[in-house]
Amino acid sequence: MANNEFRTSQGIVPFGVGAIVDFLDDTLMMAGLDVWPVAQVGAALELEKSTKVIDGRLAQRLSSEIGRKITHFYTPALAPDFKKHGASMQEDRAPMPFVRFPRVHYCPRCRRMKELDWNTLPTDKNMRCNNGERLAAGKGKTCAELYEKYRPRLIPVRFIVACQNGHVFDFPWERWVHEGHRCPDGPAELYFTSTTQPGTAGIRIACRTCSERRSMVGAFNPTQLANVLSEGCPGERPWLGPDSKEGCQHSAMQTIQRGASNAYFAKVAKSILIPPHSQRIMKVLNEKGVFNIMEALLPDPPKQTLEFLAKENGVEPDELLAGALALQEGASGTVAVTETTFRRAEYDAFTGQRPSREDRDDFDLRPVNLGDYGDWFKSHFDAVSLVTKLRETRVLQGFTRLLPPEANSEGLAPLSLTEPNWLPGVSVRGEGIFLRFRKDRIEEWVEQSGVQKRFDKLRYSHNQIEANMQRVDLEGGAIKVLLHSFAHLLIRQLAYDSGYDSSSISERIYASNGPDGMAGVLLYTASGDSEGTLGGLVRQGRPEYLPSTISAALENGRYCSSDPLCIESAGQGLNSLNLAACHACSLLPETSCEMSNMLLDRALIIGHPDNLDLAYFGEHAG
């Protein structure tokens, strides 16, 4: 049997706590934080060091959002190396915890259904069918009569039930067959059969005990499901253990397939590590645990202690004290940090001074001369930064089911039974290109009546959604749509020119209104492995390449294989929150877009056949 393994970054999204993971030969659910290796009493110090992630700026923001102090993050642990004669002793590695879900499985040979325990191991003998009966008379041996190693391995069923509170549980097979009741003739013996009918009509559940049969027609109808489960949602939270049920009378239960896209929506907070948090002194204070020692001694630690700690870590005493005081001030802050304020700090850092030589491990910029890019380029952009080194922190805050976090009024499902001072997170490194648009050109473009009229179509679609169902933020207005659409076109072109796959390049949009508003785009690649540090993206940002890359992106944006339907669209995509944007011309993989492929309109980039003045770029570089 193959090892059940995936990359550590995948343990945050898409396979975070509460997510169903389809491994090569098994299906499991990631368990809650209470049973993570680093949460156990006596966890190895090396394991804690290897999985700990520090990002004070993001920790401060999440503390104010969640309402409890968050000090650090932990990545999923690397799997131990299993050698021929057993596991090697590696104190910095540990197997991650999973629970069995769905619990109901069936045999692919005899089709008998069986419910397994939540902690049944993949190697357990119960994972193989031992059924000694048949649904109907037949020849040949039963599964129980086969040699044990030849018995079929049980397969998890395809259907589960979820509710908007994040609860998830096995489909009520017995009650479905018996119209909301238990089998009247004793313990139900269910079989998962099929017919020649198409769709759900071809899937039939049969009870051998009482001979009742029922197809899956109507199983995806919430009303019929509610009739079967008249008492409401049982409130099961399998990722937190078998006894973690909570009261829930939610009527909006829904049958879904276990691999459905709405089975799990992770809410992930992202942050770019910027100065002063990327400075060497902060790494000494945080990653080496020096701040934990000094915190109780501030604001006036003993001189001897301060000098000793400074000497041990190769820094100056004054520098160490100043960094500790700044860290203490940030950690004690209780003022909520808005998303706009949070991004503003990054926006300013990308066009700020290059860090000193000793502070370039996590954040570094390559100075460029804007004049080298040509006059056309200068007429639309006023700054370019080649970010040769960046570090991004991704943190899982919680998750929802059936509806995305922004649309789910029930809030996030918990990651643990307790309230630890940490969250699951991962730190990835990469490179990027930052482009800042000209403020005067942006203001001139926004003031055009056609632009606002065009954006009002998206605003109307957005406002048609109820207040608690708003899925996107309209901060920045038409500027955000412009920057977002431009980023998509440029990423598609960079995928051809830089050597990276489009799913490896991400966007981060900086857009806000007001006299001190933002108008910038960061295109970057960041990964937990070697990809993301190859230099191909930064190379494309050099003066000899970037203008031609942007020119090609704009030219490709002029044409779409779905035109004229695409360019003349009055609303397409989810909730009609796109105008001239479709899969053929603008949409990107989910890993690349931070707004779920919404708020896109290439007409604001290249113009509309009925109004060419909509174009921000107009005549582009050739």
Side-chain angles (χ1 to χ4, degrees):
M1 184 182 72
N3 291 333
N4 292 331
E5 297 178 357
F6 52 79
R7 295 195 303 271
T8 54
S9 60
Q10 292 179 306
I12 305 302
V13 62
F15 303 141
V17 172
I20 299 173
V21 188
D22 283 320
F23 292 106
L24 182 63
D25 56 358
D26 208 356
T27 298
L28 304 171
M29 176 180 283
M30 173 74 83
L33 304 183
D34 305 294
V35 291
W36 275 37
V38 292
Q40 304 308 302
V41 177
L45 182 60
E46 292 301 319
L47 176 64
E48 182 179 354
K49 288 182 178 179
S50 67
T51 57
K52 193 172 187 178
V53 174
I54 298 292
D55 189 329
R57 192 170 74 100
L58 183 57
Q60 179 187 355
R61 175 190 172 189
L62 293 178
S63 296
S64 63
E65 284 187 11
I66 297 174
R68 72 174 190 270
K69 187 174 182 180
I70 301 296
T71 59
H72 57 279
F73 316 103
Y74 284 121
T75 68
L78 292 174
D81 284 334
F82 287 91
K83 298 183 178 179
K84 185 175 182 180
H85 299 292
S88 59
M89 298 300 293
Q90 294 171 296
E91 292 188 346
D92 63 339
R93 295 191 174 197
M96 290 299 293
F98 290 87
V99 297
R100 182 158 298 284
F101 187 85
R103 291 172 58 185
V104 178
H105 289 55
Y106 72 95
C107 173
R109 183 173 182 264
C110 70
R111 316 295 289 184
R112 169 73 183 273
M113 300 176 73
K114 181 178 180 180
E115 184 174 350
L116 302 176
D117 290 335
W118 67 277
N119 58 352
T120 302
L121 295 174
T123 55
D124 195 293
K125 65 179 182 180
N126 287 326
M127 288 298 299
R128 294 191 179 274
C129 183
N130 59 359
N131 180 27
E133 304 291 340
R134 295 186 179 90
L135 179 61
K139 297 181 180 180
K141 294 182 179 181
T142 63
C143 290
E145 293 171 338
L146 299 172
Y147 287 111
E148 187 170 335
K149 67 177 182 179
Y150 294 126
R151 293 175 183 173
R153 185 176 176 83
L154 298 179
I155 300 172
V157 295
R158 293 159 48 192
F159 307 110
I160 58 176
V161 182
C163 90
Q164 291 182 20
N165 276 330
H167 304 133
V168 64
F169 52 96
D170 283 290
F171 185 83
W173 301 103
E174 181 180 358
R175 295 176 63 175
W176 177 260
V177 174
H178 300 95
E179 304 289 344
H181 304 285
R182 300 291 181 183
C183 179
D185 297 340
E189 186 178 336
L190 301 179
Y191 285 77
F192 194 81
T193 65
S194 59
T195 69
T196 58
Q197 296 296 315
T200 53
I203 304 173
R204 187 169 59 188
I205 312 302
C207 178
R208 185 176 181 273
T209 305
C210 65
S211 300
E212 283 288 338
R213 298 168 184 262
R214 186 179 181 182
S215 75
M216 292 295 288
V217 172
F220 289 83
N221 186 323
T223 302
Q224 293 197 36
L225 182 63
N227 292 335
V228 172
L229 294 173
S230 56
E231 70 279 13
C233 173
E236 293 186 15
R237 301 181 294 181
W239 67 96
L240 298 180
D243 301 321
S244 62
K245 293 183 181 181
E246 64 177 1
C248 178
Q249 299 298 321
H250 210 295
S251 59
M253 298 175 293
Q254 178 67 56
T255 301
I256 58 176
Q257 298 198 55
R258 70 170 191 265
S261 59
N262 63 345
Y264 186 83
F265 292 100
K267 183 175 182 180
V268 178
K270 296 184 179 181
S271 169
I272 305 295
L273 195 65
I274 58 173
H277 302 277
S278 61
Q279 293 176 350
R280 180 174 60 102
I281 189 63
M282 292 300 180
K283 297 179 67 176
V284 169
L285 287 164
N286 287 318
E287 297 180 9
K288 295 187 177 182
V290 176
F291 181 69
N292 295 336
I293 301 174
M294 294 188 60
E295 189 173 17
L297 305 175
L298 293 175
D300 189 21
K303 182 178 179 181
Q304 186 176 1
T305 303
L306 184 63
E307 290 178 346
F308 172 78
L309 291 173
K311 184 178 180 181
E312 284 291 308
N313 292 281
V315 296
E316 294 297 324
D318 293 342
E319 182 185 14
L320 186 64
L321 178 59
L325 290 172
L327 200 59
Q328 184 186 50
E329 181 181 358
S332 62
T334 57
V335 179
V337 179
T338 65
E339 180 68 22
T340 300
T341 304
F342 193 77
R343 296 201 181 207
R344 181 77 209 196
E346 298 175 4
Y347 182 79
D348 293 338
F350 287 127
T351 54
Q353 295 295 321
R354 188 182 189 189
S356 59
R357 186 175 299 275
E358 63 271 13
D359 293 331
R360 296 175 185 172
D361 290 343
D362 294 326
F363 185 85
D364 191 18
L365 304 172
R366 181 179 298 174
V368 293
N369 182 4
L370 192 64
D372 294 341
Y373 289 87
D375 294 337
W376 176 89
F377 195 94
K378 290 176 62 178
S379 67
H380 295 89
F381 304 96
D382 68 1
V384 179
S385 294
L386 304 183
V387 189
T388 56
K389 289 183 181 179
L390 63 79
R391 179 179 141 191
E392 182 188 51
T393 306
R394 303 170 186 169
V395 174
L396 177 64
Q397 295 178 250
F399 63 89
T400 61
R401 304 192 194 276
L402 301 185
L403 292 174
E406 299 82 6
N408 197 320
S409 60
E410 304 297 336
L412 299 177
L415 302 178
S416 61
L417 292 171
T418 60
E419 293 187 345
N421 64 343
W422 59 276
L423 290 171
V426 65
S427 178
V428 291
R429 299 175 184 274
E431 55 174 315
I433 305 171
F434 177 79
L435 294 167
R436 190 175 70 189
F437 286 58
R438 283 183 62 112
K439 184 179 178 180
D440 56 345
R441 176 73 180 101
I442 282 282
E443 291 175 347
E444 177 186 348
W445 173 80
V446 168
E447 289 176 358
Q448 297 183 64
S449 59
V451 171
Q452 288 301 323
K453 185 177 179 180
R454 182 84 177 172
F455 173 70
D456 283 342
K457 295 180 180 179
L458 291 177
R459 190 197 303 276
Y460 175 80
S461 298
H462 179 274
N463 293 340
Q464 290 302 299
I465 311 171
E466 296 180 7
N468 64 340
M469 295 287 286
Q470 291 181 358
R471 303 188 180 193
V472 290
D473 180 15
L474 289 184
E475 172 66 29
I479 299 175
K480 172 176 278 189
V481 180
L482 169 70
L483 302 182
H484 190 204
S485 305
F486 172 76
H488 274 233
L489 295 178
L490 188 53
I491 286 176
R492 291 168 72 99
Q493 185 61 38
L494 285 170
Y496 287 102
D497 297 343
S498 69
Y500 289 108
D501 185 81
S502 60
S503 61
S504 299
I505 306 175
S506 300
E507 65 176 3
R508 194 159 173 85
I509 308 299
Y510 300 88
S512 64
N513 298 313
D516 195 32
M518 297 182 290
V521 171
L522 172 68
L523 305 182
Y524 67 101
T525 176
S527 176
D529 52 23
S530 59
E531 188 179 16
T533 59
L534 302 179
L537 200 59
V538 167
R539 179 179 182 272
Q540 288 303 127
R542 287 158 51 179
E544 58 266 40
Y545 300 114
L546 186 58
S548 60
T549 299
I550 292 178
S551 176
L554 298 179
E555 185 64 24
N556 290 335
R558 292 182 180 276
Y559 307 100
C560 174
S561 58
S562 295
D563 281 341
L565 295 178
C566 180
I567 194 67
E568 295 180 357
S569 171
Q572 55 184 322
L574 185 62
N575 295 318
S576 298
L577 283 172
N578 287 332
L579 291 177
C582 68
H583 282 285
C585 61
S586 302
L587 303 193
L588 291 174
E590 293 181 6
T591 55
S592 300
C593 180
E594 63 174 352
M595 283 182 267
S596 303
N597 277 317
M598 292 183 284
L599 289 183
L600 293 167
D601 182 17
R602 60 189 173 92
L604 297 182
I605 305 291
I606 51 89
H608 189 276
D610 295 335
N611 186 1
L612 295 178
D613 292 336
L614 285 174
Y616 172 82
F617 290 95
E619 292 296 327
H620 61 82

